[in-house]
Each structure stands twice: as structure tokens, then as C-alpha cells.
Amino acid sequence: MSDTRVHRTSHRVQVAAPAGVLYGLIADTVRWPLFFPPSIHVEQLEFDGTHERLRIWATANGRVTSWTSVRSLDPELRRVDFRQQVPASSVESMGGTWIVEARGGDRSQLTLQHDFVVPGDAADQVAWVQRATDTNSRAQLDSLKDMAEKWTRLDDLVLLFEDSVRVNGPAELVYDFLYRAGDWPELAPHVRRVELTEQAPGVQMMSMDASGADGALHTTESVRICFPHAGRIVYKQTAPPALMAAHTGEWSVEPDATGVTVTAQHQVVLNEADIERVLGEGVGLAAARRRVREDLGRAGTLMLALAKQHAESAVRVL
């Protein structure tokens, strides 16, 4: 790998938060989709406490791409080295380093470095990768800064919950209902419109209009990653509703000896800036948590009930 073909970038941000907090956010890759705008989904394939292997899906210049990375974590130096083991299709190699440095008191400096090689060093492809790397790096650093500087309230801002239903029908029919979201306007009374495209097998881009509990029509945009053999569909709302800075979720279909359990999981970061505008003056974080839990829970359990009806009705017909 000739050094003249290796392109390097470096991005840096000053953060009003302890270095340990920043390092903890960087180390917790499974939650990156909740904290990093470009990240869609992360699967931790291996981890021994120091080294890990990850499968990552993220947006790059508006396109969803994926790769497998290995990372080496050093909590004492607060440094994480990474290298794409199975690179994204746009590069021949890609790697880099996260470096967190304490700057006294509760202040830190965070540096993100990349190096990459493009096949043939084609100028247009180099420019594409450079643009994606710069855009995503800045988005990651800005988001990390924002999350870290809220570290004393982060537990209150993050909301995790799930709802489940039992189904007396085949898991395949339940998964089929959840996978074919493009058909939801015909099957779900509250869904008015769905535009769904499959960019690659199992990678779905979805825009949906659905009526909420208040009767108003709400538009959401999502990227969905589908794992049919595991009975899972994970998603990230790239344009979440009000009150939410970020929303990721998962549909899981788990058969057992007596039936099927279908679960809707949600992870949310609340948007403090929207609370009073949406819920009224003087309304606080606790009320926002309840409202988001109720709204997402209601929509999720409705889809679970429809998936149950779809599978059990087909069994009765047979």
C-alpha cells in the first residue's frame, strides 16, 4: 500500500464533559445508532473485553452502506483503534483512531482520525469517500459533544422499553406481515401511505404517513435492516417525530414449542428543546417520557395486534 495512495483526515472537537464519559460513549458501539446520526445499526459479532468485531450499517452521502470492522479498545489511554476487516464497497481499506484527552476539570478534547485507500485512486471516488468521511465525522463529533455535555441527565433523556404479544400461528406469516411494510396501508387502518424501496436485499428505505392518537397525520422516514433467518427487523427513524432527537427499534419474531412471541423494542433519546413547544409551558422531562412511551407503545402494540391477526387468520382459513 503506497503511502501516496493513502488519504488521511483528522477532525477534532472540544467538549465540556469528563474524558471518561466521552470514552464510554465511543466504546458502547451497540448504542451508536441512538447517538450518531449516520449510524443505522451495529451488530457486535465478537468481544473479549479489549478487541471486538462489528458489522456496521450507516449512511454515507445519502446511501446506506455496510462493512465489518475490528476495534482495539484501550480504556487507560482512552484510545480506540479501528480497521475495516471487510471494507465497504467504496474503499480498498479504511481505518482510524478515536483519541480522548482530558483538558482539566470536566473538559476534554476528542480527535477522530481516518486513513483510506480507494481502488485505483480514482479522483471522483476519492472525492466521494472524502466527502462522506468529513460529513459523517463532523456529525459524529457534534452528536458526541451534545450527548456527553448532557452526561448528568443522560439517563433521564434515554428511554428504553418493549411490548410483546403471543401468536398462535406460524412465525413466517408474522415476519412476512412486518417485512411487507409497503402493504400496510391496505392492512393497517391508521397507516395512510407507505413508500418503500429496497436499496439492497434486506435494506429498506421507508417513508410513512400514519394517524396518531390525536387523529393528526404524522410522517416518519426510516431505514430498516431485515434479518429473515433470525426473525428480526431493526430500524432507525431518520426523521423522528417531535419530542424525539433519535429513535431506533426492532421487531423480533421468536417461535417456541407452543407458539410465537412477537416483540416491538424501542430506544429513544428525548429532545428537550421540543418539550414545552409540544406539551405546553412548564411541562418537564417526566411528562415527555410518559407521552413518548404512550405514543410509541400504542402504535407498536397496534402493529403487533395486526401481525397476530394476519397470522392467526391465515391459519384458520387453512
Side-chain angles (χ1 to χ4, degrees), residues 25-46:
L25 292 172
I26 294 165
D28 190 6
T29 47
V30 174
R31 296 178 77 179
W32 277 13
L34 199 57
F35 297 146
F36 290 176
S39 298
I40 301 300
H41 180 60
V42 177
E43 292 266 320
Q44 190 179 61
L45 306 176
E46 298 173 16

Side-chain angles (χ1 to χ4, degrees), residues 125-158:
Q125 191 65 11
V126 169
W128 191 95
V129 176
Q130 182 82 53
R131 185 169 70 254
T133 302
D134 286 345
T135 301
N136 285 9
S137 295
R138 294 183 190 283
Q140 288 177 310
L141 293 183
D142 289 346
S143 182
L144 271 172
K145 174 181 170 68
D146 182 57
M147 290 293 103
E149 291 181 347
K150 296 174 180 175
W151 69 280
T152 58
R153 308 190 315 283
L154 203 52
D155 286 345
D156 294 325
L157 290 171
V158 175

Side-chain angles (χ1 to χ4, degrees), residues 173-186:
L173 288 178
V174 177
Y175 184 86
D176 181 66
F177 176 88
L178 297 172
Y179 175 79
R180 290 189 299 107
D183 294 341
W184 284 357
E186 302 170 10

